[in-house]
Amino acid sequence: MGVCLTLAAQMVLERLMVTTTPSLRHRVFWLQNTGKVAQGSHQLFIHLDERGQHLVTKRVACTEGQLVTVHHQTVLSCDGEPIALLRKGDRPAASFNGQIPQGYCFVLGDHPDSVDSRRFGLVDRQQIVQQAYPLW
């Protein structure tokens, strides 16, 4: 029974993810193979920047085919619904205007200073590793 319990615990721990950054409202996630990349879902994806490759979790704010627009150079919308504010340091507003191409999504964190699609652009769905379900 001890071996079974150890294996079960290991399987559970491999599926749990804890984030320590204030980027997301939730801190503990249950990871599963990628399901549907839908608006509002949380996704774990590979992000590459000048410091290397990182696993990042963010909430999908806008998916392929949806329209991302900027109003008054400060309000970011998806299909006309406000989803975030732009601040100094965010990418130029012009880079957000338009329809999201097939195979991409626009991701956001919950914290105003989150490093997300406002800073690094669209996420290729091929970079998505797993879906992250918030637990706590």
Side-chain angles (χ1 to χ4, degrees):
M1 179 159 164
V3 172
C4 289
L5 216 54
T6 302
L7 289 174
Q10 182 179 355
M11 288 171 58
V12 167
L13 289 176
E14 288 175 357
R15 294 283 187 190
L16 282 178
M17 180 193 71
V18 177
T19 180
T20 57
T21 71
S23 177
L24 294 171
R25 181 176 319 136
H26 303 285
R27 296 287 179 257
V28 181
F29 293 86
W30 181 259
L31 301 175
Q32 282 194 288
N33 291 335
T34 302
K36 185 177 179 185
V37 180
Q39 190 174 20
S41 66
H42 289 80
Q43 303 293 330
L44 177 70
F45 59 93
I46 299 168
H47 174 64
L48 186 62
D49 63 16
E50 64 279 349
R51 295 177 291 140
Q53 183 173 302
H54 313 279
L55 286 174
V56 179
T57 302
K58 299 291 178 191
R59 177 178 40 83
V60 176
C62 214
T63 61
E64 59 188 29
Q66 292 185 296
L67 185 64
V68 176
T69 53
V70 175
H71 305 280
H72 308 294
Q73 298 184 340
T74 57
V75 180
L76 186 65
S77 297
C78 180
D79 285 343
E81 294 294 320
I83 56 173
L85 296 176
L86 295 175
R87 302 165 338 276
K88 289 182 182 177
D90 290 335
R91 295 180 65 161
S95 68
F96 293 121
N97 288 316
Q99 189 174 30
I100 296 182
Q102 185 173 354
Y104 289 86
C105 60
F106 189 95
V107 298
L108 290 172
D110 297 318
H111 193 279
D113 292 327
S114 173
V115 177
D116 49 37
S117 286
R118 290 174 287 188
R119 303 267 176 104
F120 56 70
L122 300 176
V123 173
D124 186 328
R125 290 177 66 166
Q126 292 184 359
Q127 295 170 270
I128 296 174
V129 178
Q130 291 185 304
Q131 189 159 354
Y133 294 91
L135 296 177
W136 180 70

